[in-house]
């Protein structure tokens, strides 16, 4: 069968998930990752019940993911004197099952490392369609030609930039930034997996979270686009200290501790808008590179479902990648609507005192329960095709 060699850029979640399915269907897969090794820890990611867990089951990793799951973590909103104002249930923030991003990446890597070529510490620098394949230049390794290339390299995708155009054409800043700092409490395997609590405090346009599942500290604030390097953690710390310098509550102590915390990451809340076309020529986009919406709550599930669909369609197309890509675009355009045009910034960090009060009321209302049900329904609004068993056994 033609179009058998596939390069995947990105070894976080979407990339190794796609690599798993492609190898199961008999493809020859290489994964390139900019980082020198798998990134441990990281913030918690979650899955909804139903389709998401079914994909994990079909991959044979549901038990492994369940064994590394975090506890369910409520977020309690408090005033400056630690008086409780509202609670956002861990059943909303953690879905049916939550796991640290690094732990999930490790599970996926363990499933694929013996049959997939992983190249760490490198990245794609150029792509050229030769008519019969894609000639790929790398920052460090020698150039190679692959039948197909998939960008699973996040919302700031290098592959998308090279194959589709500049990030500004596809990524929309939604007016907020967030910062996670320090490993989640769940990174400490000695911590019991009971229900835990993170405490959150708002002032207009800003949110500070002390503890909880996502990270040791979390910040969110309204802002136009900022000019800084995402690899310069010192600059990111300075931005957070400047924005939150006048905020009370636990924030002065948190900012004092910020320099001693690892894994500091500041990024915009943004949405990728590809108009339902996630492929161009022999190149496809997957996960956040294709349909990312920061902190919208569906990213990990979208990535795993997208990997299942893309690999299954490629395996079923008998080498006709155009047909496979068309089917992938059609299925994921509809399913990716679950991420919608939502923006967590105004919800978690309202810009006015009245907005904060209204959000707190909403969290205790029946409407919030209805929103939970809608999210669960949307996450299951896709038919998982049982791709041909004959394709499944090619490996």
């Amino acid at each position: 069968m033609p179009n058998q060699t596939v390069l995947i850029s990105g070894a976080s979640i979407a990339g190794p998930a796609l690599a798993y399915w492609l190898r199961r269907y008999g493809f020859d897969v290489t994964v390139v990752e900019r980082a020198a090794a798998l990134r441990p820890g990281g913030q918690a990611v979650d899955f909804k019940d139903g389709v998401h867990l079914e994909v994990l089951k079909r991959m044979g990793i549901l038990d492994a993911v369940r064994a590394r799951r975090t506890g369910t973590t409520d977020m309690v909103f408090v005033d400056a004197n630690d008086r409780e104002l509202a609670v956002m249930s861990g059943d909303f923030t953690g879905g049916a099952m939550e796991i640290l991003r690094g732990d999930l990446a490790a599970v996926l890597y363990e499933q694929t490392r013996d049959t997939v070529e992983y190249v760490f510490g490198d990245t794609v620098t150029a792509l050229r369609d030769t008519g019969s394949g894609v000639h790929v230049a790398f920052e460090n390794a020698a150039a190679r030609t692959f039948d197909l290339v998939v960008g699973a390299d996040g919302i700031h995708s290098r592959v998308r930039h090279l194959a589709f155009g500049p990030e500004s054409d596809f990524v929309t800043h939604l007016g907020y930034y967030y910062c996670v700092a320090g490993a989640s409490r769940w990174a400490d395997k000695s911590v019991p997996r009971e229900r835990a609590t993170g405490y959150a405090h708002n002032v207009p346009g800003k949110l500070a979270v002390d503890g909880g599942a996502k990270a040791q500290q979390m910040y969110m604030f309204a802002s136009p686009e900022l000019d800084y390097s995402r690899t310069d953690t010192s600059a990111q710390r300075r931005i957070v200290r400047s924005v939150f310098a006048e905020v009370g509550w636990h924030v002065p102590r948190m900012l004092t501790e910020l320099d001693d915390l690892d894994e500091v990451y500041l990024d915009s809340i943004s949405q990728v808008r590809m108009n339902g076309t996630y492929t161009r020529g022999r190149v496809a986009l997957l996960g956040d590179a294709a349909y990312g919406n920061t902190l919208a709550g569906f990213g990990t599930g979208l990535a795993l479902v997208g990997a299942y669909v893309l690999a299954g369609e490629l395996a079923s197309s008998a080498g006709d990648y155009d047909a496979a890509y068309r089917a992938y675009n059609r299925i994921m355009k509809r399913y990716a609507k679950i991420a919608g045009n939502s923006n967590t910034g105004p919800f978690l960090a309202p810009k006015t005192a009245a907005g904060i009060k209204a959000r707190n009321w909403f969290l205790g209302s029946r409407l919030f329960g209805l929103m939970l049900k809608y999210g669960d329904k949307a996450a299951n609004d896709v038919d998982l095709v049982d791709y041909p068993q004959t394709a499944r056994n090619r490996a």
Side-chain angles (χ1 to χ4, degrees):
M1 186 175 71
N3 302 313
Q4 281 284 84
T5 61
V6 183
L7 173 70
I8 301 170
S9 176
S12 180
I13 305 302
L18 179 63
Y20 167 84
W21 287 112
L22 289 176
R23 275 303 303 144
R24 185 164 171 175
Y25 296 146
F27 290 81
D28 183 5
V29 183
T30 299
V31 178
V32 62
E33 165 59 43
R34 175 186 287 276
L38 288 181
R39 296 184 177 99
Q43 68 188 74
V45 297
D46 61 270
F47 302 99
K48 305 295 184 184
D49 200 1
V51 165
H52 293 178
L53 299 191
E54 177 62 22
V55 172
L56 294 176
K57 181 179 178 181
R58 293 188 187 189
M59 295 179 76
I61 62 172
L62 179 58
D63 289 342
V65 171
R66 183 174 284 127
R68 301 192 192 195
R69 69 186 301 179
T70 68
T72 305
T73 307
D74 293 338
M75 182 183 291
V76 179
F77 291 88
V78 298
D79 66 13
N81 296 311
D82 280 326
R83 289 189 292 261
E84 181 178 312
L85 301 174
V87 177
M88 188 159 65
S89 169
D91 296 330
F92 173 69
T93 59
M97 188 161 59
E98 187 180 70
I99 182 174
L100 293 179
R101 177 175 292 276
D103 285 352
L104 178 58
V107 169
L108 293 168
Y109 177 69
E110 289 163 6
Q111 289 286 314
T112 55
R113 62 186 176 188
D114 293 333
T115 57
V116 171
E117 177 190 11
Y118 279 88
V119 180
F120 289 98
D122 210 346
T123 189
V124 176
T125 58
L127 300 171
R128 179 171 59 85
D129 192 328
T130 66
S132 59
V134 183
H135 187 73
V136 182
F138 298 94
E139 189 171 75
N140 299 314
R144 295 165 62 180
T145 297
F146 299 87
D147 294 324
L148 304 172
V149 172
V150 179
D153 45 354
I155 204 165
H156 304 293
S157 170
R158 173 70 67 88
V159 169
R160 188 186 59 229
H161 174 81
L162 294 171
F164 290 78
E167 181 171 308
S168 58
D169 289 350
F170 304 102
V171 179
T172 301
H173 175 59
L174 299 181
Y176 280 80
Y177 281 81
Y178 76 102
C179 175
V180 290
S184 163
R185 68 187 300 276
W186 300 113
D188 182 353
K189 302 305 181 185
S190 67
V191 175
R193 290 330 195 226
E194 79 285 2
R195 181 177 289 265
T197 303
Y199 292 91
H201 179 66
N202 284 106
V203 297
K206 300 174 187 179
L207 168 77
V209 182
D210 191 9
K214 299 303 182 185
Q216 195 167 335
Q217 297 181 6
M218 180 176 173
Y219 303 88
M220 186 178 293
F221 57 95
S223 172
E225 289 192 74
L226 300 174
D227 183 14
Y228 71 99
S229 170
R230 290 191 302 276
T231 62
D232 186 347
T233 57
S234 295
Q236 295 172 35
R237 287 183 171 93
R238 287 195 297 271
I239 290 170
V240 172
R241 281 196 295 267
S242 175
V243 171
F244 286 84
E246 304 302 321
V247 180
W249 186 59
H250 301 173
V251 172
R253 185 261 303 163
M254 292 168 63
L255 295 178
T256 298
E257 296 173 350
L258 188 60
D259 280 337
D260 296 325
L261 297 179
D262 57 2
E263 299 185 27
V264 173
Y265 180 75
L266 173 71
D267 203 353
S268 63
I269 295 181
S270 299
Q271 183 179 25
V272 178
R273 295 173 178 169
M274 301 295 298
N275 295 319
T277 303
Y278 314 117
T279 60
R280 177 165 292 179
R282 292 175 174 268
V283 178
L285 301 176
L286 174 66
D288 282 351
Y291 22 81
N293 190 353
T294 314
L295 301 180
F298 295 99
T300 307
L302 274 172
L304 289 190
V305 172
Y308 177 85
V309 171
L310 179 56
E313 293 297 335
L314 285 169
S316 301
S317 69
D320 185 352
Y321 71 88
D322 275 328
Y325 282 0
R326 285 195 300 272
Y328 168 68
N329 283 323
R330 173 178 52 78
I331 294 168
M332 293 309 297
K333 178 181 180 180
R334 181 178 182 277
Y335 186 55
K337 288 181 179 179
I338 62 173
N341 292 311
S342 61
N343 181 355
T344 57
F347 182 74
L348 291 178
K351 293 182 180 181
T352 65
I356 294 170
K357 186 176 181 179
R359 188 275 318 279
N360 291 342
W361 171 85
F362 177 77
L363 288 173
S365 73
R366 180 173 175 269
L367 294 175
F368 184 61
L370 293 175
M371 187 177 77
L372 290 177
K373 291 181 179 179
Y374 171 78
D376 290 343
K377 181 179 180 181
N380 288 290
D381 190 20
V382 63
D383 293 324
L384 290 182
V385 176
D386 188 10
Y387 290 104
Q389 189 70 29
T390 52
R392 190 170 299 166
N393 290 329
R394 286 194 184 114

